Amino acid sequence: MEVLYKSTRNGEIGVKASEAILKGLSEDGGLFVPDHIPALDKSLQELAGMNYREVAYEVMKLYLTDFTEEELRDCISRAYDSKFDTESVAPLVDADGTYYLELFHGATIAFKDMALSILPHLMTTSARKNQVKNDIVILTATSGDTGKAALAGFAGVEGTKIVVFYPKNGVSPIQEKQMVTQKGDNTYVVGIRGNFDDAQTGVKRIFADKELAGRMEAAGCQFSSANSINIGRLVPQIVYYVYAYAKLLEEGRIREGDAINVAVPTGNFGNILAAFYAKNMGLPIARLICASNENRVLYDFFRTGVYDRNREFVLTSSPSMDILISSNLERLVYRIAGDDAEANALLMQVLNGEGKYEITEEMKAQLGEFYGNYASEQETADTIRTLYERTGYVIDTHTAVASCVYGKYVKETGDARPAVIASTASPFKFTRSVMNAIDMKYNSMTDFELVDELSALAHVAVPKAIEEIRTAPVVHDHVCDRDEMQKTVEEFLGL
Ligand SMILES: *Cc1c(COP(=O)(O)O)cnc(C)c1O
């Protein structure tokens, strides 16, 4: 059955998957959502025998219904190849009785690679299918990891250009080095004097500028997005939840139909929304555990039904989750409003104006499958240290937030079902915070000394992504104010 994509702010628009991927964001400022969530059409037992690429096909074909089998399989095999340093693509590691789903084995060692290694192929295929002759200009706001993953995915891809905005003082040193050393004539990296929310808001504003869109068209180019507001990011993220379940089944750790819990370190609400979609497709997930850092706007939302971004923005050791405006929450709000675009649009208007909104009791009643909590900086560090001391396994700061919140969940509820924790980044990406959590004595070392120290301590080889940037020259040094983003884009495009 065909899936069409509707805007969360306008009940009438319905476009094909390839069109939604090309546009990124709907013209009315809404996000594209599937008009229904398709059910898995293979049994869990059948999925258990499949490799990552095969599971990816079984899941994605249900959403990208205007792609032919050949097109989709081609995108999948180009994406999930030797760019990943392990055959299984997303291995499950059992540590202390919990399963860590390692989503960081791609080119830039964060989970963003899971979707961004396929998005460029989905995008160029979509352009071909829709006879788009324009160059596609990818505009991306990043809290640190999306930027590099999108750059790696789109660098050198014919017919595309990519511009990345990151908060100049809001990312880890390794994250910044990864981005500013990016090669490729079609890449452009800019630090902004502001935080991630400023970057994301600026990008959304550029998207919505009709006058600029006209000039772009005349110059033979058009914008799209590599952020998780693009449905082409979200759909590939559903795959690994299905895959994780299938692996647990295959390894005999659960029986077919057993429900599992899933804990996700959350910022923009994209990763956990993908788990929610997986659950709605029929994957037996009991609780969706939404873990926040000290920017605990989502924890407050799940507790009170009030979303309020009027608060201090905290810079934490898990910078990829330093977000107060979680874009993808809009997709959940739309859903619990009964797919009511009008009701959702109203709430988003209030959010834009007052910076907060409250959902109805009826909507709140539908959030029972979610559990929200947060981890303080101290708790995050303690989680890394204790897990290391008990098992020798080293996790990054983001994963530690989820691990800590999962511990709180179990303590509160006694629910000891098998659980999967989304492990979203390699500890090598946040070396200083990770090593300081284990022992403050490391704080005097340089970033790359810490890399070698971590490698010895965790008995894990230094990832290629880190080796590459040790000596790589800085090729991007643009910095701009947050109100200069559009001008910067125009300069880059020669408009
Ligand atoms: C992006 C990111 C997150 C947050 O994911 P969302 O989909 O934005 O909720 C968590 N951890 C890491 C390492 C990330 O890069």
Side-chain angles (χ1 to χ4, degrees):
M1 189 172 155
E2 175 153 49
V3 175
L4 290 177
Y5 290 82
K6 295 167 87 164
S7 162
T8 50
R9 299 190 193 175
N10 175 342
E12 271 136 56
I13 300 175
V15 300
K16 291 183 194 314
S18 63
E19 295 170 302
I21 290 169
L22 280 171
K23 288 188 173 186
L25 198 65
S26 170
E27 275 145 37
D28 53 33
L31 276 60
F32 286 113
V33 279
D35 60 0
H36 66 281
I37 297 187
L40 287 168
D41 66 359
K42 289 280 185 305
S43 73
L44 298 167
Q45 204 63 60
E46 282 172 289
L47 292 164
M50 296 184 184
N51 66 26
Y52 194 87
R53 283 176 292 277
E54 289 162 339
V55 174
Y57 177 72
E58 294 304 330
V59 172
M60 293 178 64
K61 72 170 192 199
L62 300 171
Y63 286 92
L64 309 185
T65 48
D66 68 326
F67 281 60
T68 66
E69 172 165 357
E70 194 192 348
E71 285 168 342
L72 186 53
R73 286 202 192 272
D74 180 57
C75 291
I76 289 169
S77 60
R78 284 163 186 265
Y80 305 111
D81 59 7
S82 59
K83 287 192 287 301
F84 287 79
D85 67 7
T86 151
E87 178 53 35
S88 84
V89 180
L92 271 174
V93 174
D94 180 352
D96 222 11
T98 316
Y99 302 104
Y100 288 82
L101 177 61
E102 294 190 346
L103 302 172
F104 54 77
H105 288 272
T108 74
I109 60 176
F111 95 93
K112 304 299 197 290
D113 290 323
M114 301 304 294
L116 283 164
S117 49
I118 193 166
L119 185 64
H121 303 295
L122 297 177
M123 192 80 78
T124 47
T125 305
S126 296
R128 210 177 320 119
K129 293 175 78 64
N130 288 280
Q131 283 95 41
V132 169
K133 299 282 186 297
N134 285 342
D135 272 3
I136 311 282
V137 180
I138 305 294
L139 272 194
T140 303
T142 182
S143 56
D145 289 329
T146 291
K148 180 61 185 188
L151 287 163
F154 282 97
V157 173
E158 189 112 5
T160 71
K161 293 191 168 79
I162 172 161
V163 186
V164 168
F165 290 101
Y166 73 95
K168 179 68 189 146
N169 296 314
V171 300
S172 85
I174 302 260
Q175 284 179 313
E176 181 168 41
K177 185 93 196 271
Q178 279 187 304
M179 288 189 278
V180 297
T181 56
Q182 177 65 47
K183 290 184 223 140
D185 289 344
N186 66 334
T187 67
Y188 201 65
V189 179
V190 186
I192 69 155
R193 297 183 194 96
N195 60 37
F196 170 73
D197 289 330
D198 297 324
Q200 177 160 257
T201 305
V203 162
K204 282 188 182 169
R205 197 170 294 139
I206 297 173
F207 271 124
D209 190 323
K210 298 234 155 59
E211 186 269 330
L212 178 61
R215 276 191 285 141
M216 294 274 292
E217 184 67 39
C221 47
Q222 66 189 61
F223 288 129
S224 190
S225 166
N227 283 101
S228 53
I229 52 178
N230 194 319
I231 200 76
R233 265 277 302 271
L234 210 53
V235 170
Q237 291 180 183
I238 302 169
V239 173
Y240 46 76
Y241 292 106
V242 176
Y243 179 74
Y245 189 97
K247 283 304 120 188
L248 289 174
L249 187 58
E250 186 182 11
E251 291 166 12
R253 299 178 189 264
I254 55 173
R255 279 169 312 183
E256 187 165 14
D258 284 354
I260 60 168
N261 290 321
V262 170
V264 186
T266 298
N268 224 356
F269 209 75
N271 201 358
I272 194 164
L273 187 77
F276 174 74
Y277 280 8
K279 177 172 160 72
N280 283 279
M281 293 175 79
L283 193 71
I285 296 177
R287 269 323 205 24
L288 297 155
I289 298 164
C290 175
S292 303
N293 63 22
E294 288 181 2
N295 294 292
R296 43 180 251 192
V297 60
L298 287 166
Y299 163 64
D300 292 339
F301 172 73
F302 283 116
R303 209 165 37 98
T304 63
V306 177
Y307 191 88
D308 185 357
R309 69 169 165 87
N310 300 308
R311 61 182 75 205
E312 203 186 327
F313 187 100
V314 189
L315 290 176
T316 72
S317 59
S318 45
S320 304
M321 296 156 65
D322 289 345
I323 292 176
L324 292 178
I325 308 173
S326 294
S327 287
N328 279 291
L329 189 66
E330 177 169 348
R331 288 186 164 116
L332 180 67
V333 167
Y334 169 84
R335 169 100 180 172
I336 60 175
D339 289 356
D340 185 340
E342 220 173 302
N344 172 66
L346 213 59
L347 289 175
M348 294 307 133
Q349 210 179 326
V350 179
L351 178 65
N352 260 340
E354 296 165 30
K356 66 181 208 175
Y357 63 84
E358 179 165 16
I359 58 171
T360 63
E361 280 305 318
E362 222 179 358
M363 290 164 77
K364 212 176 144 190
Q366 294 175 63
L367 294 177
E369 57 204 325
F370 285 90
Y371 168 88
N373 212 326
Y374 75 103
S376 69
E377 286 294 272
Q378 188 59 51
E379 288 171 326
T380 304
D382 290 346
T383 303
I384 293 173
R385 193 187 59 254
T386 26
L387 186 66
Y388 168 68
E389 285 171 357
R390 273 220 286 271
T391 66
Y393 185 55
V394 181
I395 54 176
D396 97 291
T397 45
H398 303 75
T399 309
V401 167
S403 180
C404 171
V405 166
Y406 171 66
K408 291 184 182 187
Y409 170 76
V410 174
K411 210 167 190 182
E412 249 172 63
T413 60
D415 179 0
R417 255 183 263 267
V420 168
I421 293 180
S423 183
T424 49
S426 158
F428 285 94
K429 215 161 179 176
F430 303 95
T431 340
R432 183 167 303 278
S433 302
V434 167
M435 294 303 278
N436 282 352
I438 291 172
D439 194 328
M440 271 313 286
K441 76 176 183 203
Y442 293 114
N443 200 29
S444 57
M445 295 187 182
T446 68
D447 288 314
F448 283 103
E449 282 169 352
L450 286 172
V451 162
D452 294 326
E453 203 69 27
L454 172 58
S455 172
L457 184 109
H459 306 289
V460 176
V462 177
K464 205 167 107 222
I466 298 291
E467 289 298 357
E468 276 170 4
I469 59 166
R470 266 188 211 261
T471 53
V474 171
V475 290
H476 302 275
D477 58 1
H478 310 275
V479 178
C480 78
D481 286 331
R482 55 193 175 175
D483 56 6
E484 293 171 338
M485 289 170 61
Q486 178 163 338
K487 200 177 89 209
T488 306
V489 171
E490 291 182 17
E491 274 168 19
F492 172 53
L493 297 176
L495 291 179

